[in-house]
Amino acid sequence: MDSNLNFGVDPSKRILVTGGAGFLGSHLCEKLLGLGHEVLCVDNFFTGRKENIAHLLGHPRFELVRHDVCLPLYVEVDQIYNLACPASPAYYQRDPIQTTKVSVLGAMNMLGLAKRVGARVLQASTSEIYGDPRVHPQTEDYTGNVNPIGLRACYDEGKRCAESLMFDYHRQHGVEIRVIRIFNTYGPRMASGDGRVISNFIVQALAGVPLTIYGDGSQTRSFCYVDDLLDGMVRLMDASPGVTGPVNMGNPAEITVFELARRIIEMTGSRSRIDRHPLPADDPCRRKPDITVAGKLLGWQPHIPLDEGLQKTIAYFRSTLAQRSDAPAPVLETTA
């Protein structure tokens, strides 16, 4: 076991998860409960969904609080996972000013809380801070190729500022921080109309409507199944003091958007065709994480191959869409 991991300590902690009713947050709440922790789930349900955490409401170590992280929160906790923020273009471009506020004010409020109570805080950052990268694969020391005034800037720049705040609070106040840069992650509980490429392709394929590709489909993405991502996230939070990050986490297996569409059509048995539309502004052409740091510091690497993860995700959408026969086909806003 890597010396940076402290899994021998008492695992019973009170842990705050902001954005805990979202796709990643709800899975994280489940995982932390399974590890024996008390979990305080905070969400304002702007993009989070109550059905994601409904099965946890009766758990004796789970508590739900409806709260906007743009406002201060006064609780006693040992650790804070700050996941609160719309994470897909369809959502974060709906109210870009609020998106920036959530990233910046939310980080400030969680850091203020961590400072007051002596908690460790993990910031869920993103591969989007690299912009449309000129370095491939992306390493943590790459500072990015970003557009600070584009349509995606509310999210990209908000997350970049949140990282700055994390390290300033660490340097100035000694707050224990962890920064994870999350690459494309997928799995059950993704929202059907959130603008992410895997969920949209699956929903479109199951509905028998055309799969929408932007550009010629040659742009690449790397997809990490949610269980692998959460394992890395918890490893980073529980690493020895001094392991601040940033740490890339994602699956470095790269695939073109066109090949992903073709594979999902095949796996769903769909007769959908593929339609092409103009590429949105600032959409990255290539995206692939270099996860060397995560391997060295945390002993982490993803294990679930894309086809296995897609099978689980397709099964989830088959089930949920069968219960919502009136669910409309989503409008794909990006290839994120």
Side-chain angles (χ1 to χ4, degrees), residues 41-98:
C41 170
V42 168
D43 207 297
N44 69 348
F45 298 103
F46 179 68
T47 58
R49 296 179 296 164
K50 290 182 179 178
E51 55 263 39
N52 286 343
I53 45 87
H55 62 296
L56 303 177
L57 294 177
H59 196 290
R61 287 184 278 106
F62 181 80
E63 182 180 355
L64 172 65
V65 173
R66 185 166 191 154
H67 180 81
D68 187 338
V69 295
C70 291
L71 302 172
L73 181 65
Y74 300 97
V75 293
E76 296 290 329
V77 292
D78 303 300
Q79 293 180 347
I80 303 166
Y81 286 84
N82 187 33
L83 277 60
C85 187
S88 72
Y91 288 158
Y92 64 64
Q93 291 176 6
R94 184 184 304 169
D95 190 343
I97 295 173
Q98 184 63 21

Side-chain angles (χ1 to χ4, degrees), residues 205-258:
L206 292 176
V209 301
L211 274 64
T212 312
I213 284 183
Y214 289 82
D216 62 4
S218 64
Q219 61 269 43
T220 67
R221 295 294 183 268
S222 304
F223 297 100
C224 185
Y225 190 68
V226 59
D227 291 356
D228 280 336
L229 188 280
L230 293 177
D231 173 59
M233 187 179 289
V234 172
R235 282 173 179 258
L236 179 58
M237 174 64 94
D238 291 342
S240 299
V243 181
T244 60
V247 176
N248 287 340
M249 284 191 184
N251 193 322
E254 195 173 8
I255 185 172
T256 67
V257 171
F258 181 85

